[in-house]
């Protein structure tokens, strides 16, 4: 099995198009055409993790955080990033990162976080914007089902929990082909009028080329008329953070002790207790200060995230309990999820969970 075959499975799990624009996901080091000897899954692809991959005969390291995040001009081994890359290259180790591609997935980082706490009725906290497009096309009634079904098969027409969604209206068309035309209906050089169906479907923008290919392959016209629009709608099933509920509410202090136990956190920094019960909880794995207002607007009793600065605790505004449980801790179970996913999809192949603890933060 080649590395590119593993990558195909990883992109099913976390489509790279879901990643944030600032991020650096995908294959960072290595050749996708190389035969894969084994996969080591980790949180951070540090030098010691690359050493572990060598020792365990794994030439593909799948990491959550990208070791290459911002541009570098030299690789001389002067820092931890360069040393990890040098070691990977010397040992023919490929590195693939998922990061915000999995953060934004409805079954990804924050769903894993919610599941670890036992939260139910979960939904996205910060839905992704500028990600939905609409395609409008026109065809004769006898061709409409074929065109619609082909676009559905390519990924169009999914809205939340529903698929095969479209809007169709009847009308009539007019055209007159020139001497170079070859119309399927009517004759060139003559004005033709007939009945037509207008078909409208929405889709995730990264599917555009696939859907257009399906449209052109199944449409009977010589010239296919279509329009594509960018929609301002947020995508309710893709985005950062998540909010859910406990079956039974609990006191604030008991809640934080519960979180500390479930997420194996050595320390939790939090805002002032408000004397209210905790039932509705927002989470955002990693650095999530930008979503404090989203958590408040969603009616959360508490918001769990990481990397909060001093003044950001004031943003709780006595409306919710704000808690920083640690960056690594908030994403702790992500690598386990990746391993489980790959093992279900790729049978009889070495998928190994890294034993290295790459959390750089220590507590007294």
């Amino acid at each position: 099995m080649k590395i590119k075959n593993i990558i195909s499975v990883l992109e099913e799990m976390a489509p790279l198009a879901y990643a944030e624009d600032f991020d650096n996901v995908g294959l960072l080091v290595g050749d996708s055409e190389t035969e894969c000897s084994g996969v080591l899954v980790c949180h951070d692809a540090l030098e010691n993790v690359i050493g572990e991959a060598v020792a365990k005969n794994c030439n593909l390291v799948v990491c959550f955080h990208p070791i290459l995040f911002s541009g570098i001009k030299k690789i001389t081994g002067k820092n931890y990033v360069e040393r990890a890359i040098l070691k990977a290259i010397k040992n023919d180790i490929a590195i693939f990162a998922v990061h915000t591609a999995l953060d934004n997935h409805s079954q990804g980082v924050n769903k894993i976080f919610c599941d670890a706490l036992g939260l139910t009725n979960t939904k996205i906290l910060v839905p992704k914007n500028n990600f939905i497009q609409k395609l409008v096309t026109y065809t004769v009634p006898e061709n409409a089902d074929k065109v619609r079904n082909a676009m559905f098969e390519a990924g169009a027409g999914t809205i939340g929990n529903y698929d095969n969604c479209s809007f169709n209206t009847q009308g009539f068309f007019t055209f007159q082909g020139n001497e170079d035309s070859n119309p399927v209906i009517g004759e060139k050089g003559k004005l033709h009028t007939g009945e037509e169906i207008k078909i409208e479907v929405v889709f995730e923008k990264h599917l555009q080329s696939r859907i257009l290919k399906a449209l052109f392959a199944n449409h009977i016209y010589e010239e296919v008329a279509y329009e594509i629009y960018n929609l301002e709608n947020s995508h309710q099933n893709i985005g950062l953070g998540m909010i859910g509920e406990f079956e039974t509410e609990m006191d604030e202090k008991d809640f934080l002790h519960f979180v500390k136990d479930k997420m194996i956190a050595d320390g939790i920094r939090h805002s002032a207790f408000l004397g209210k019960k905790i039932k509705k909880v927002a989470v955002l794995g990693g650095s999530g200060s930008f979503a404090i207002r989203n958590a408040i607007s969603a009616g959360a009793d508490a918001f769990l995230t990481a990397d909060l600065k001093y003044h950001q605790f004031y943003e709780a505004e006595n409306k919710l309990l704000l808690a920083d449980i640690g960056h690594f801790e908030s994403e702790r179970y992500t690598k386990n999820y990746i391993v489980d996913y790959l093992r279900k999809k790729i049978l009889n192949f070495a998928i190994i969970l890294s034993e290295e603890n790459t959390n750089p933060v220590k507590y007294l």
Side-chain angles (χ1 to χ4, degrees):
M1 181 178 293
K2 292 186 176 182
I3 287 175
K4 68 179 182 181
N5 302 123
I6 310 291
I7 289 175
S8 294
V9 177
L10 289 167
E11 291 184 353
E12 290 176 7
M13 177 191 74
L16 299 186
Y18 286 11
E20 296 297 306
D21 293 338
F22 64 79
D23 205 5
N24 189 29
V25 295
L27 186 63
L28 307 182
V29 177
D31 182 358
S32 64
E33 293 292 336
T34 302
E35 287 291 330
C36 187
S37 60
V39 181
L40 181 72
V41 179
C42 66
H43 203 83
D44 304 276
L46 304 180
E47 186 179 7
N48 59 327
V49 174
I50 302 301
E52 182 186 11
V54 174
K56 294 178 177 177
N57 193 33
C58 295
N59 65 348
L60 173 60
V61 170
V62 176
C63 52
F64 179 63
H65 290 140
I67 187 67
L68 275 172
F69 194 78
S70 55
I72 58 174
K73 295 183 178 180
K74 298 178 182 179
I75 306 178
T76 60
K78 67 181 180 182
N79 58 44
Y80 78 97
V81 172
E82 294 180 11
R83 287 192 295 273
I85 295 168
L86 275 176
K87 190 159 189 173
I89 292 172
K90 286 179 180 179
N91 290 279
D92 293 322
I93 305 291
I95 302 175
F96 186 97
V98 294
H99 205 209
T100 57
L102 192 56
D103 273 314
N104 276 311
H105 199 287
S106 61
Q107 299 300 311
V109 175
N110 296 295
K111 183 62 164 63
I112 299 164
F113 197 164
C114 287
D115 288 347
L117 297 175
L119 296 171
T120 60
N121 301 322
T122 56
K123 63 180 181 180
I124 299 295
L125 180 64
V126 188
K128 196 168 182 64
N129 293 320
N130 304 313
F131 202 71
I132 304 174
Q133 294 182 323
K134 175 187 277 192
L135 182 144
V136 180
T137 190
Y138 312 81
T139 190
V140 290
E142 54 267 31
N143 183 225
D145 284 344
K146 185 177 182 182
V147 167
R148 261 194 308 269
N149 291 334
M151 291 194 295
F152 292 156
E153 185 69 25
T158 297
I159 303 175
N161 295 322
Y162 299 86
D163 54 26
N164 290 6
C165 302
S166 68
F167 188 76
N168 305 268
T169 50
Q170 290 184 320
F172 70 91
F173 65 85
T174 64
F175 72 80
Q176 182 172 313
N178 61 26
E179 287 302 312
D180 296 324
S181 67
N182 185 29
V184 176
I185 299 170
E187 300 178 35
K188 60 183 176 182
K190 293 185 179 180
L191 181 65
H192 187 77
T193 301
E195 185 181 353
E196 200 166 49
I197 303 294
K198 178 182 180 182
I199 304 171
E200 302 177 55
V201 291
V202 296
F203 58 92
E204 297 174 5
K205 67 179 182 181
H206 66 285
L207 300 175
Q208 183 186 119
S209 60
R210 185 195 304 179
I211 291 165
L212 286 176
K213 184 178 179 180
L215 171 63
F216 297 149
N218 290 275
H219 206 295
I220 64 171
Y221 288 178
E222 181 186 19
E223 298 288 351
V224 179
Y226 70 95
E227 304 126 39
I228 291 178
Y229 304 96
N230 291 318
L231 302 183
E232 294 186 2
N233 306 53
S234 296
H235 197 306
Q236 60 181 305
N237 282 342
I238 300 175
L240 295 168
M242 195 159 276
I243 187 165
E245 297 178 336
F246 287 121
E247 184 175 332
T248 304
E249 61 186 22
M250 61 181 83
D251 293 330
E252 292 163 307
K253 193 171 184 179
D254 291 338
F255 165 70
L256 290 181
H257 280 295
F258 172 82
V259 172
K260 186 176 181 181
D261 176 62
K262 291 294 183 180
M263 305 307 292
I264 317 176
D266 288 323
I268 295 179
R269 299 184 302 140
H270 62 88
S271 60
F273 288 144
L274 303 175
K276 62 187 294 187
K277 299 290 186 179
I278 304 297
K279 184 174 177 63
K280 196 171 185 180
V281 179
V283 306
L284 200 156
S287 303
S289 61
F290 64 89
I292 294 172
R293 289 183 178 83
N294 298 84
I296 293 172
S297 297
D301 300 314
F303 179 35
L304 305 175
T305 188
D307 301 341
L308 296 176
K309 296 179 181 179
Y310 175 88
H311 289 94
Q312 289 168 339
F313 282 95
Y314 288 126
E315 295 180 29
E317 295 283 1
N318 294 320
K319 295 179 180 177
L320 84 176
L321 177 64
L322 184 57
D324 182 333
I325 73 165
H327 194 121
F328 178 89
E329 289 80 1
S330 67
E331 301 166 340
R332 173 179 295 282
Y333 302 111
T334 302
K335 64 180 182 180
N336 304 72
Y337 174 85
I338 297 171
V339 166
D340 290 343
Y341 187 93
L342 290 177
R343 285 175 177 171
K344 289 176 183 176
K345 294 288 184 177
I346 306 172
L347 305 178
N348 302 318
F349 196 81
I351 311 292
I352 299 172
L353 179 66
S354 173
E355 296 178 26
E356 296 289 331
N357 182 351
T358 59
N359 186 2
V361 181
K362 309 301 177 184
Y363 300 85
L364 284 173

